[in-house]
Amino acid sequence: MKASSRPELNWFLPLGTDVRHIGTWPPEGEEPRLHHLVQVTEAAEQAGFAGLLVPTAYVNEAETWTAASAVLARTRSAKLILAVRPNQLHPAQAAKMTATLDYLFPGRVALNVVTGGWGEDRWIGCYDDRETRYQRVREWLEIVTQAWAGADRYQGMTYAGKIYQLDGLSLYPPPDHDIPIYLSGSSAPARQLSAEFADAILIWADLPDAVAAEVSDIRQRYAARRRAATVLLRVHVVVRESEEAAWREADELISRVDPRVRETIEARSFSDSPGRDRQTDLGTGDLMVGPNLWAGPGTGRFGVATALVGDPSQIVDRLMEYRAAGVDGFILSGYPKLREARQFGRLVTRLFLDTDRARRRDGQATDEDSPRPSPSTVESVVAQVP
């Protein structure tokens, strides 16, 4: 299974402390003040990344929508992919907030809808069981997409669901173009919702064969809906000029994990989230998952446990293996985000894009077969990389 279109490259905007060493308590690094968030975004733009994923967690110092608004106003081109859990915002509110950001910064806003539950849900008094949570996600997406489409804009939109009931919703002006929806979730219900509503689905890194099987299942679900899937792989990167230097940096990254942090991670279970459970498992076993695929980050953080570690050619080889497994693009990150965005841009971006272009030219697609990129896409931005 080969991805035949140009790869989408995205980075990560840290709304918590931008650490070099994961798992310290308290975290040690650059605070997510506005000047630093702007620096990270600008570095990602210059490194050839089309956008940045903006996380959602109440334990972060900065809140998603507030920080994104400020960063968009002070940067030029990068798209911000705003993560949201549907229980955090009423869908009418979310539809209006996103439409407003897109109105002010056209084409630079997307949503990443997170389907999994989180311990913070109880902070806002939400105790949905698994079935209720997925019902909420479905209704939330139905309302948001219908509101954006301008449904019943003159009479007002009505909706009667199990979770949400509304009468007279009018979103003015509705967006004059599609706002992309990304969806995060590994379960079968999450994949089904993605096939119905999402433009792209995010998956976590694993061995290429496992990723290929996951991509195949996703594409079958999309095909049943007569829709095309865009699959993005989420993984960390540690790249240096030599493999030895990369592994030294990887070892340094986890050299200060607080034992209390490690114990908390090992005791945590996401029994209703197979993707998170798999990532946690990777961080508690043999940290060498596969060639250049390392689960060290999972020893000091929740969520994405894996990193690609190596020299530029090794990183490109691994990324191309995921491309061959059907992955359309990536959401990458490193520690700290500012420094590692620059490292990736300096060492990898051009080599990766050139390699990917050559393999597509030799395979299914050619540059002549594909539409030319707009000035905001990866290949035009990367021309600025020194």
Side-chain angles (χ1 to χ4, degrees):
M1 179 186 298
K2 295 183 178 179
S4 60
S5 59
R6 287 184 176 87
E8 178 178 340
L9 278 179
N10 299 291
W11 194 244
F12 188 90
L13 189 67
L15 298 190
T17 304
D18 194 7
V19 302
R20 179 187 178 189
H21 298 95
I22 64 172
T24 59
W25 189 257
E28 301 170 359
E30 188 77 24
E31 293 183 356
R33 303 287 184 179
L34 181 56
H35 75 277
H36 185 69
L37 298 180
V38 169
Q39 279 187 312
V40 173
T41 304
E42 291 176 339
E45 290 175 340
Q46 293 165 9
F49 293 100
L52 296 90
L53 177 63
V54 187
T56 178
Y58 296 139
V59 295
N60 283 333
E61 289 91 330
E63 186 274 327
T64 307
W65 301 80
T66 310
S69 301
V71 170
L72 285 166
R74 289 164 175 78
T75 53
R76 295 184 301 166
S77 62
K79 172 179 61 183
L80 295 188
I81 307 164
L82 280 64
V84 59
R85 296 194 299 275
N87 60 20
Q88 293 175 318
L89 293 172
H90 189 282
Q93 182 184 20
K96 182 63 176 179
M97 291 167 64
T98 311
T100 298
L101 279 180
D102 186 76
Y103 178 77
L104 296 173
F105 309 101
R108 296 187 60 196
V109 178
L111 281 187
N112 173 37
V113 180
V114 181
T115 61
W118 195 254
E120 292 178 346
D121 293 347
R122 66 182 185 273
W123 294 17
I124 54 175
C126 184
Y127 297 90
D128 290 349
D129 58 25
R130 188 172 188 270
E131 181 180 354
T132 303
R133 188 174 75 249
Y134 280 111
Q135 180 66 29
R136 181 186 297 278
V137 175
R138 173 175 294 280
E139 293 185 14
W140 195 94
L141 286 165
E142 287 176 347
I143 293 168
V144 167
T145 54
Q146 290 177 35
W148 285 347
D152 300 322
R153 59 182 294 189
Y154 298 109
Q155 289 77 32
M157 173 184 165
T158 61
Y159 186 90
K162 294 181 180 179
I163 308 293
Y164 299 106
Q165 299 82 39
L166 30 125
D167 184 16
L169 171 62
S170 180
L171 185 66
Y172 183 82
D176 60 4
H177 57 267
D178 292 337
I179 297 177
I181 293 177
Y182 296 57
L183 191 140
S184 296
S186 302
S187 67
R191 293 180 187 177
Q192 192 59 39
L193 285 168
S194 180
E196 294 181 46
F197 294 99
D199 301 287
I201 183 168
L202 278 59
I203 64 174
W204 280 322
D206 205 323
L207 292 170
D209 286 349
V211 169
E214 191 170 356
V215 171
S216 177
D217 178 72
I218 290 168
R219 294 205 186 282
Q220 289 177 28
R221 293 176 186 273
Y222 271 76
R225 294 276 173 174
R226 297 185 179 181
R227 304 182 67 223
T230 296
V231 182
L232 303 179
L233 189 80
R234 178 83 178 91
V235 67
H236 304 298
V237 177
V238 182
V239 59
R240 293 295 184 269
E241 285 84 352
S242 70
E243 182 180 11
E244 293 77 11
W247 283 112
R248 285 196 299 270
E249 183 58 37
D251 290 338
E252 181 66 23
L253 175 63
I254 62 171
S255 64
R256 301 184 187 178
V257 176
D258 191 302
R260 295 168 297 177
V261 173
R262 178 65 170 163
E263 290 170 5
T264 301
I265 291 170
E266 291 180 347
R268 187 70 176 267
S269 172
F270 300 95
S271 58
D272 64 347
S273 179
R276 286 181 186 159
D277 278 340
R278 170 61 176 161
Q279 292 291 300
T280 300
D281 290 343
L282 290 173
T284 56
D286 182 355
L287 298 184
M288 286 307 305
V289 181
N292 304 105
L293 184 62
W294 176 65
T299 65
R301 72 182 305 278
F302 289 117
V304 184
T306 52
L308 297 175
V309 182
D311 63 34
S313 64
Q314 290 172 322
I315 298 300
V316 169
D317 286 346
R318 302 291 84 77
L319 293 176
M320 293 308 303
E321 286 176 355
Y322 287 125
R323 288 283 282 158
V327 169
D328 299 293
F330 302 89
I331 296 182
L332 306 175
S333 56
Y335 295 94
K337 305 296 182 294
L338 177 59
R339 182 189 68 184
E340 296 306 304
R342 291 168 173 165
Q343 285 280 79
F344 192 90
R346 182 173 66 87
L347 296 173
V348 180
T349 304
R350 174 54 65 189
L351 178 61
F352 170 62
L353 291 176
D354 286 349
T355 302
D356 189 86
R357 184 187 300 111
R359 294 195 186 183
R360 283 187 286 113
R361 183 180 295 121
D362 294 339
Q364 298 178 16
T366 67
D367 284 346
E368 290 73 27
D369 295 329
S370 304
R372 299 308 303 167
S374 68
S376 62
T377 58
V378 169
E379 293 190 23
S380 60
V381 177
V382 78
Q384 306 171 29
V385 179

